[in-house]
Amino acid sequence: MSSSSEELWPGDWNRASLGLCALQALKDGPSYGYAIITAFERAGLGTFKGGTLYPLLTRFETAGWVEVEWRAGESGPGRKYFSLTPAGVLELEQQRNQWLAFTQSTTAFLADDSNRGVSL
C-alpha cells in the first residue's frame, strides 16, 4: 500500500482505515485523487498510490457514497473530482463513530496491564 520502502504503519492498519480516511478527506468538499493522497501524507498516514485509492473511490461511487465530476485542467489534463453524496455523509458519520468506539476499546485494552497473559 505504501509506495516507499518503509511503511509508517503496518499495511493491515492502512487497509483497515483507508476507506474511512478517504470519506473524511471529502468531508469539506470535492477533491481529486492526488490531493487526497497528499492530505493523507500531511496527516502522517503514509504514502499511498493512486492504484490503491482509485478502485476504492470507484466502489464508493457504485455504493452511492460519492459523485464524480470531470473538471478541465488549468494547465494540463482534466481531473476527476469526487464529492460526498448525502448517503456518503451518513456513511462517514456511521463509520467514524464505529472507528472511534473500536479504537477507544482497543486503546483501553492495550493500556490495561491486567490483560497481559490472559488465557481463555
Side-chain angles (χ1 to χ4, degrees), residues 73-117:
E74 293 178 19
S75 61
R79 288 189 173 139
K80 194 175 190 178
Y81 278 76
F82 301 88
S83 58
L84 289 179
T85 64
V89 172
L90 291 173
E91 185 65 23
L92 169 60
E93 189 63 26
Q94 179 184 0
Q95 285 191 28
R96 183 179 17 208
N97 289 337
Q98 289 175 323
W99 182 264
L100 293 173
F102 172 75
T103 57
Q104 182 179 15
S105 295
T106 302
T107 299
F109 182 81
L110 293 172
D112 185 354
D113 286 342
S114 68
N115 292 323
R116 298 212 170 97

Side-chain angles (χ1 to χ4, degrees), residues 18 21-26 29-43 45-46 48 53-54 57 80-83:
L18 180 61
C21 290
L23 291 172
Q24 178 70 20
L26 297 171
S31 191
Y32 55 95
Y34 180 75
I36 294 170
I37 289 170
T38 301
F40 292 164
E41 290 173 0
R42 282 194 209 125
L45 299 175
F48 294 84
L53 179 63
Y54 286 109
L57 293 170
K80 194 175 190 178
Y81 278 76
F82 301 88
S83 58

